[in-house]
Amino acid sequence: MKIGLAGKLAGAFINSKLTPLIIVASLLLGLFAVLKTPREEEPQIVVPMADVMVRMPGASSKEVEQRVTSPMEKLIWEVPGVEYVYSTSSPGESMVVVRFLVGQDQERAFVRLREKLQGHFDIIPPGASQPIIKARSIDDVPVLALTLHSDKVDSVTLRELASRLDQAIKSVPNVGETNLIGGVRREIRIGIDKAKLSSLGLGLDELINALAAGNVQSPNGRFSLKNEEIVVKSGDPYRDRAAVAAIVVGASSGKPIRLDEVAKITDGAGEVENYVFYGAGPSSKDDARKVLESAVTISVAKRQGVNAIEVVNGVLAKVETLKGTLIPSDVTITTTRNYGESSAEKSNELLFHMGIAVISVTILIAISLGRKESLVVLTAIPVTLALTLLVFYLYGFTLNRITLFALIFSIGILVDDAIVVVENIVRHLRMPEAKDQGVLKTAIVAVDEVGNPTILATFAVIAAILPMAFVGGLMGPYMRPIPVGASAAMIFSLLVAFIVTPRGSDQNPQEGKFGEARPP
C-alpha cells in the first residue's frame, strides 16, 4: 500500500523520541510569547499624522487663508502617501492636519513632508513664521494619569511639585510624552515704566537684552579633586524676584540702573490655563456639598511597541520611591487612569475564557469519543495555540482583544483536524484486522486515509480567511490578527494532527484502548 504525505509524517513521529520534545518546546515557546508580547486593549494601528503650524501675527483669518493656508495645502498634497488634509485658518495662525495612508512608515512620511516644506521656504510671505511640524500618533494617548491633590498646598506649589515629579517620571525606561494639566504656573512679571525708562535714556531693546544675558548659565571649565570631577559654571538663572530686580539694565551719570528702578516686579501666580480639581462625594444625604481640592494631573504616554503594563508599573514604582522626599506627606497622589491595569485585566479575562473554550471542547470530545481520546485533543490544542502565540510575537502583534479573539475563534476550527485523525484511528483500531497488522501500522494507515481530505479542508479554510488580511484602510490593520492568527493556527493544527495526535495510538494491542502506553 502506497503511503502519502500524512502517513509518512505520522510514521516518522509516531514512535519518535522527538515528539515529546516538540510538545514541550512548543508549550515553552508559547509561554515565552505570552510573557514577552506587549498587552494592550486595542491593536496598534499605524496612521502617520502631523500638525503643520504657521504663525502670521496681525493677519486676519482671510489673509492667513489666502497667503498661507491655501499655498501650504497645495504643497502638502504633492507629498506621496498623503490621504487627507484638514486646514484651519484663524487670526494670526494657520494649522494644517496631514494624515497619511494607513501603514505608511512614520519616519519616512514625516521626512517627505519636512523636505517638501523646507524646499519651498522662499514662498513664505513676509511676516509669517517657518512651518512647525508636530507629529501625532496613537501612542500619544496617555496610559497613566497621576493626580496630585491637597487641601493644604496651594495650586502654585502643587504645580512646582508636579513639574519636579514629571522630570523624575521621564527617567523611567520607555516613557514617551508627559504633560501637566491644571495648577497655576509661577511667574515673575515685569511692568515697565516707560516714562522712567525714557527719562534715563534707555530703550526697550536694551532692557530685553540685559534680561536675556542675565538668565544664562555656562560651563567655564572643570577640575579633578579627590577622585571626583567638578564642573565650574558661571551665571545663575533667575530664581526669585530679588535676582530679577538686581539686574543692571544700563547706566546714567556713571551710576548703574537696576531693573526695579524702571519697572514693577511681582513674583506670584500666572494666568490659569486649565483647571483640575479632585473631589470627594457628599459624606451623607444631608450634606449635599462636595469637597474639591486643587489638583494637578500628570499624563504619561508610552513609546511605540512597548508593553503598557511594564511602563505603568515602572512609573508607579518610581513614584513610590519619591514619597516622603520629593513628594511631601501633605500631598496625595491618586491614579486616575491606569491603561496598563485595564489592559492586563481584559487580556487576562480573554485568556481565561480561552482556557474555558479549550476545556469545553475537551469535555465534548470525552463524551463523544472517550476520555483518553479527549486527552490527546487536550494536548493538541495548547500546542497549536502556543505556536500561534509565537507567530503573533514574531509578527509584532500585541495581546489585545482582537488577537485573543482570533485565538478563541481558531479553537473551533483548529480542533477539527485532531478530531478527524483521532476518530479515524479509533475506528481502525476497533476493526478485526488491527490485531494482525499491529497498532502502529494501523494508526499510520488511519492517518493516511484521512490525510488528503484533511489537508484540502485545512487549506480551503485558509483560502477563505486569509484574503481578509489584505483589506485596506483603518479596518485592515485592525482586523488583520484574525486572518493571520487563524491561518497560522490551521497550519499548526494540521501538523500537530499528523505528528502529535498519532502518538496516542502507541498502546498495547491486546488492550485495544486508545492512548495507553505499551508495556516494555
Side-chain angles (χ1 to χ4, degrees), residues 59-90:
S60 64
S61 300
K62 188 174 182 180
E63 186 179 2
V64 169
E65 181 183 5
Q66 293 176 347
R67 304 186 62 190
V68 178
T69 305
S70 295
M72 188 162 59
E73 281 183 339
K74 293 178 181 179
L75 286 176
I76 292 173
W77 274 117
E78 297 175 6
V79 179
V82 172
E83 185 176 16
Y84 294 109
V85 176
Y86 312 90
S87 62
T88 302
S89 299
S90 55

Side-chain angles (χ1 to χ4, degrees), residues 13-84:
F13 289 95
I14 194 171
N15 203 23
S16 173
K17 295 181 180 179
L18 291 176
T19 306
L21 294 178
I22 292 174
I23 296 173
V24 174
S26 300
L27 296 175
L28 290 177
L29 288 172
L31 179 62
F32 169 81
V34 170
L35 296 177
K36 287 296 183 180
T37 304
R39 298 189 181 190
E40 295 176 320
E41 292 186 22
E42 303 291 344
Q44 285 276 354
I45 303 177
V46 180
V47 186
M49 296 181 64
D51 296 339
V52 182
M53 295 170 287
V54 176
R55 297 186 181 277
M56 194 175 180
S60 64
S61 300
K62 188 174 182 180
E63 186 179 2
V64 169
E65 181 183 5
Q66 293 176 347
R67 304 186 62 190
V68 178
T69 305
S70 295
M72 188 162 59
E73 281 183 339
K74 293 178 181 179
L75 286 176
I76 292 173
W77 274 117
E78 297 175 6
V79 179
V82 172
E83 185 176 16
Y84 294 109

Side-chain angles (χ1 to χ4, degrees), residues 337-355:
R337 172 180 170 83
N338 191 335
Y339 181 84
E341 183 179 2
S342 60
S343 299
E345 180 182 350
K346 291 180 179 179
S347 60
N348 290 336
E349 183 179 0
L350 285 171
L351 287 171
F352 173 72
H353 283 86
M354 186 171 68

